[in-house]
Amino acid sequence: MAVGTESYNIRSKCTLCHFSWEEDRLPIDYEKRDGVAYITLNNPAKANIFDKPTADAISEAWIDLWEDRSIRCAILTGKGDTHFCGGHNLAPRENITEEEREYLRTQRIFWPLAGTVHGQKTGVDGRMGDHYPRVWKPVIAAVNGWAAGAGLYSLLASTDIRIASAEHARFKFALLTQGWLGHGPGASLLVKQLRYIDAMKILLTDEPFDAQEALRIGLINEVVPHARLLERAEELARHICKLPPVAVRMMKEFVVRFGDLPTDQAWHVQNLINSLLIQTTTDGEEGRQAFNEKRKPNFDGKLRKRGDAWPDLSEEDAKRLDEAYRSGEF
């Protein structure tokens, strides 16, 4: 194994997951290498769908990469060149009747389990459900094939940067034609991320579209040849890994949590976060020093100790600093 590389057996981490594993298949491949976590949905024979084992395993991966401070970025993709993720497993559970299924669906509306939204677990790491990657670290999607159903409206829509295969990436909402809207937050996410008319065309026609159309409407950032898909995602990940990690993670949380606030309110929160970064992390000072010294910064993401109170200022110093403060040039 190369230096800086860790492979994780998700089976061993899911100690609270109540399901059996197929001996010849793990639901995801999860690897951590040089500050980047790689999550690959690993069920190409079944369109890399979200069955229960996959949902539980990917949830464990989000928790692990969030709590591991050496990880600064994640890449999410699917095994093979046909499906990124084909969505939820819609096959009914064998030991539940249709009448019982309707009862449970109704119960979930009015009496969801504690700590869930419509049955999906949420957490302080920012997860917006079991397998929606709203951890406060950048997640890059490498779309290797079809992103359909929850693979589009939840998994892909919850990533931050999206690279698509020119030859194989395809997209489809895939739920309206089945007569329903979906359990996840996808419809609202798409309308927030895209122009209204583009989002509504996806939602109301439920027609498939290719990578070039996804690029045109702003659903993805780049289209690359399939052979370069992972390479391009890794280029972006390596660049992010060189940036100050605390500032990067705070930037994502700020945008997600406070981006919809009125500008003056969001600006106030942004300034509070900025002050915290400057005063309580080493990276804020390192960035300024590196710029003034004309060298590359070395961001380590370390936190500072609490220091002594500022000394009392003389009348002359107080006046001088007040002038600098009011000028905004300091």
Side-chain angles (χ1 to χ4, degrees):
M1 183 179 296
V3 175
T5 300
E6 295 180 79
S7 293
Y8 279 74
N9 186 336
I10 295 295
R11 180 190 286 114
S12 66
K13 294 183 68 63
C14 290
T15 56
L16 299 180
C17 298
H18 302 291
F19 53 82
S20 60
W21 298 87
E22 298 177 19
E23 290 301 321
D24 60 344
R25 181 184 70 84
L26 289 174
I28 66 171
D29 291 337
Y30 181 48
E31 183 181 11
K32 300 192 289 187
R33 184 169 68 248
D34 299 327
V36 181
Y38 295 78
I39 301 175
T40 305
L41 277 68
N42 183 16
N43 192 1
K46 295 183 179 179
N48 290 327
I49 59 173
F50 276 139
D51 53 14
K52 186 62 166 64
T54 303
D56 287 330
I58 203 169
S59 178
E60 291 294 329
W62 297 136
I63 294 171
D64 181 81
L65 72 89
W66 166 247
E67 294 183 348
D68 186 344
R69 294 187 186 179
S70 70
I71 296 301
R72 300 189 178 188
C73 186
I75 294 175
L76 175 68
T77 191
K79 183 79 74 175
D81 58 9
T82 305
H83 289 90
F84 171 73
C85 175
H88 286 298
N89 182 8
L90 301 181
R93 186 166 176 165
E94 294 181 357
N95 63 341
I96 299 293
T97 67
E98 187 61 33
E99 183 177 5
E100 290 170 335
R101 186 172 297 108
E102 288 302 314
Y103 166 74
L104 293 176
R105 287 172 177 169
T106 304
Q107 176 175 278
R108 186 164 55 184
I109 295 173
F110 298 104
W111 298 105
L113 296 174
T116 73
V117 176
H118 201 65
Q120 295 291 336
K121 297 176 184 176
T122 58
V124 294
D125 54 8
R127 279 173 298 145
M128 193 174 55
D130 290 2
H131 41 258
Y132 308 145
R134 297 302 281 272
V135 292
W136 307 128
K137 293 180 181 180
V139 180
I140 301 170
V143 188
N144 56 298
W146 277 96
L152 166 65
Y153 69 73
S154 287
L155 196 59
L156 180 65
S158 298
T159 60
D160 307 299
I161 301 172
R162 305 160 194 171
I163 313 300
S165 163
E167 298 93 327
H168 302 297
R170 298 292 185 272
F171 307 85
K172 182 177 171 61
F173 182 60
L175 291 179
L176 197 69
T177 48
Q178 298 180 37
W180 55 313
L181 305 185
H183 293 308
S188 58
L189 280 178
L190 289 175
V191 173
K192 289 180 179 179
Q193 294 178 6
L194 306 177
R195 292 189 308 168
Y196 176 82
I197 56 174
D198 291 323
M200 294 306 285
K201 183 180 179 183
I202 293 172
L203 297 172
L204 295 178
T205 68
D206 214 352
E207 293 180 337
F209 53 99
D210 62 15
Q212 289 299 331
E213 175 65 5
L215 180 65
R216 185 192 71 80
I217 65 177
L219 180 65
I220 60 175
N221 298 93
E222 299 178 26
V223 178
V224 299
H226 187 76
R228 284 208 68 231
L229 181 63
L230 190 58
E231 177 186 351
R232 178 57 182 147
E234 289 178 324
E235 289 174 356
L236 291 166
R238 284 194 296 269
H239 172 74
I240 290 172
C241 285
K242 296 177 183 178
L243 300 176
V246 183
V248 169
R249 84 72 132 204
M250 292 301 296
M251 176 63 80
K252 177 172 178 177
E253 184 170 4
F254 166 72
V255 171
V256 173
R257 286 194 187 277
F258 306 109
D260 290 334
L261 289 178
T263 301
D264 59 335
Q265 296 179 28
W267 190 7
H268 180 64
V269 175
Q270 178 184 327
N271 282 329
L272 292 176
I273 294 174
N274 202 52
S275 295
L276 282 173
L277 289 170
I278 293 172
Q279 296 175 28
T280 62
T281 75
T282 58
D283 289 343
E285 189 64 27
E286 168 64 12
R288 177 175 293 189
Q289 288 182 356
F291 178 82
N292 290 330
E293 296 170 6
K294 296 180 173 56
R295 60 174 175 82
K296 292 183 178 181
N298 179 27
F299 297 119
D300 55 23
K302 291 183 178 180
L303 306 181
R304 289 182 174 183
K305 293 181 180 179
R306 184 169 56 186
D308 297 329
W310 293 105
D312 293 333
L313 298 174
S314 67
E315 184 176 345
E316 181 181 354
D317 285 341
K319 182 178 180 180
R320 177 174 55 83
L321 293 180
D322 183 67
E323 290 176 354
Y325 180 69
R326 293 179 184 279
S327 73
E329 298 176 352
F330 55 90

